[in-house]
Amino acid sequence: KQEVTQIPAALSVPEGENLVLNCSFTDSAIYNLQWFRQDPGKGLTSLLLIQSSQREQTSGRLNASLDKSSGRSTLYIAASQPGDSATYLCAVRWWSGAGSYQLTFGKGTKLSVIP
Amino acid sequence: DGGITQSPKYLFRKEGQNVTLSCEQNLNHDAMYWYRQDPGQGLRLIYYSQIVNDFQKGDIAEGYSVSREKKESFPLTVTSAQKNPTAFYLCASSPGTGVSSGANVLTFGAGSRLTVL
């Protein structure tokens, strides 16, 4: 069974700092990995999706990398801003062996960017 | 604008009552999902549907029921059999469920918060 871990559970940084959020998964046989952002009391917004054949994806100040062999992904945020404050979740898609793909989420990292 | 609409945003229920959460999408997506989110926990899959008139149980389906009579709609009923229904419920959709690029990128609704009194 796939397990997804995000450490730390919470992170506080001063505005302008570059930061890295971590996501690890136990079974490296994944098909893709997706990073989401969730604001308090809101739904999830997709940030980046990395296919298993890719090493990284970039969108603006965000860069996500994937190392399947070590079971790790990182989300790099450059020049952090107070508006980046949110909970960031990663999710991995894997073959369940029961006729379908499954998506397993981590518990998220709550990011606070201090002005 | 295309998206997913969940209603109501907040719902209060007395013990023993069934309640239905609405989820509507205008993205022309084939697949729809219901997740439950509890504080400090990751999202857990309740039910999913890959196509109209078909749905499958997720990891925590007990006490819940769904229907998929139309492509756009995937309502979730929280029955009285659900022992601990107070939670934040999220509906999502994706173009498909395959692994081709973009097929399974999830789009989420804004969520519905259910509180049992």
Side-chain angles (χ1 to χ4, degrees), chain A residues 8 11 28 34 47 49 63 70 81 86 91:
Chain A
L11 179 65
S28 62
Q34 196 166 358
L47 297 174
L49 180 140
N63 176 278
S70 66
Q81 304 170 357

Side-chain angles (χ1 to χ4, degrees), chain A residues 84-96:
Chain A
D84 295 329
S85 298
T87 297
Y88 291 81
L89 297 97
C90 68
V92 299
R93 187 170 296 275
W94 52 287
W95 179 250
S96 70

Side-chain angles (χ1 to χ4, degrees), chain A residues 23-81:
Chain A
C23 173
S24 61
F25 43 94
T26 54
D27 187 342
S28 62
I30 69 169
Y31 288 91
N32 59 43
L33 184 146
Q34 196 166 358
W35 281 94
F36 295 89
R37 169 187 172 134
Q38 184 176 30
D39 293 293
K42 306 289 187 182
L44 278 66
T45 300
S46 179
L47 297 174
L48 291 162
L49 180 140
I50 310 178
Q51 300 292 349
S52 61
S53 58
Q54 298 174 320
R55 294 299 299 263
E56 64 178 62
Q57 282 284 340
T58 298
S59 176
R61 294 183 293 109
L62 306 180
N63 176 278
S65 67
L66 175 64
D67 184 342
K68 270 184 55 177
S69 61
S70 66
R72 293 181 181 178
S73 175
T74 61
L75 179 66
Y76 174 83
I77 303 177
S80 59
Q81 304 170 357

Side-chain angles (χ1 to χ4, degrees), chain A residues 31-32 34 36 38 41-46 49 51 89 93 99-103 105-107, chain B residues 9 35 37 40-43 48 59 88 90 97-102 104-106 108-110:
Chain A
Y31 288 91
N32 59 43
Q34 196 166 358
F36 295 89
Q38 184 176 30
K42 306 289 187 182
L44 278 66
T45 300
S46 179
L49 180 140
Q51 300 292 349
L89 297 97
R93 187 170 296 275
S100 68
Y101 299 99
Q102 285 206 15
L103 192 66
F105 284 82
K107 295 180 181 181
Chain B
K9 187 172 177 63
Y35 288 92
Q37 187 176 34
Q41 296 204 31
L43 275 69
Y48 67 99
D59 299 321
F88 189 53
L90 287 160
T97 56
V99 290
S100 59
S101 180
N104 50 63
V105 177
L106 291 178
F108 279 84

